[in-house]
Amino acid sequence: MGYKTLYDALPFLKDIDKKRQEQFKEYFRTAPLWVMDSFHIEEMDKGVIFVRENAPVENIYFIGKGIIEAIDYRVHGVAYEFMRFDNVYAMGGMEYIMDMKTYRTTLRTVTRCTVVKMSRANFEKWMSADLFCNRFVITHVLLIKANNLLNL
């Protein structure tokens, strides 16, 4: 496709709040152009489970619009939400950093969402070539984990 800017690759950016636009710009600030060519934009309705715990990590997701939640089924088979995300994070990034082959949680949309999907292979290629972004993803994963521990 040969995108020249992030706004060309992700047209929905012009329709979201400034804070989230800035988060996308920061995430992809040093990304090579081929990364933008690897994006797949998907629209998801409310209540869609798009990542299942223990499923193979095949994609990394960035939430463009909407809110998602991490849910768990470990307590007597009853689903409970333990975290919500309404900012830009690399969902699946923790599994990449920890070299895990399966997702560690289930993710479900809370609202209608616009999701940017990237294959794990392309994400790994990008991370291995982009030291800034690799550190950025690690920092975000650590912040999410710390926040989760503080809210227990």
Side-chain angles (χ1 to χ4, degrees), residues 1 9 21 33 56-57 71 90 101 107 112 120 130 132 142 146:
M1 297 204 181
Q21 284 181 35
L33 293 177
V57 179
I71 54 177
K101 302 302 180 209
L107 299 176
R112 182 162 173 74
R120 179 182 180 139
D130 189 341
F132 168 80
L142 292 174

Side-chain angles (χ1 to χ4, degrees), residues 18-122:
K18 196 74 169 165
K19 178 183 172 190
R20 204 176 279 196
Q21 284 181 35
E22 292 303 319
Q23 290 170 350
F24 266 97
K25 285 195 258 184
E26 187 66 16
Y27 245 105
F28 298 101
R29 177 171 60 125
T30 57
L33 293 177
W34 68 261
V35 168
M36 290 185 271
D37 286 336
S38 72
F39 292 158
H40 297 280
I41 300 171
E42 294 184 6
E43 298 291 331
M44 295 184 188
D45 290 328
K46 175 183 176 179
V48 172
I49 293 175
F50 62 98
V51 166
R52 292 194 185 275
E53 182 179 11
N54 296 322
V57 179
E58 296 174 348
N59 296 296
I60 308 299
Y61 299 89
F62 299 90
I63 308 306
K65 289 184 189 176
I67 300 169
I68 65 166
E69 63 186 353
I71 54 177
D72 201 339
Y73 294 99
R74 294 187 191 144
V75 180
H76 305 294
V78 176
Y80 72 95
E81 169 202 333
F82 65 90
M83 195 163 213
R84 281 192 177 203
F85 300 93
D86 61 355
N87 289 314
V88 179
Y89 297 108
M91 309 311 285
M94 177 190 75
E95 290 82 355
Y96 159 76
I97 290 166
M98 298 177 73
D99 197 30
M100 297 175 165
K101 302 302 180 209
T102 59
Y103 292 109
R104 305 308 304 156
T105 192
T106 297
L107 299 176
R108 175 174 60 195
T109 58
V110 175
T111 62
R112 182 162 173 74
C113 292
T114 301
V115 177
V116 179
K117 183 170 80 171
M118 175 187 287
S119 73
R120 179 182 180 139
N122 281 336

Side-chain angles (χ1 to χ4, degrees), residues 3 7 27 75 79 92 144:
Y3 295 114
Y7 284 87
Y27 245 105
V75 180
I144 291 168

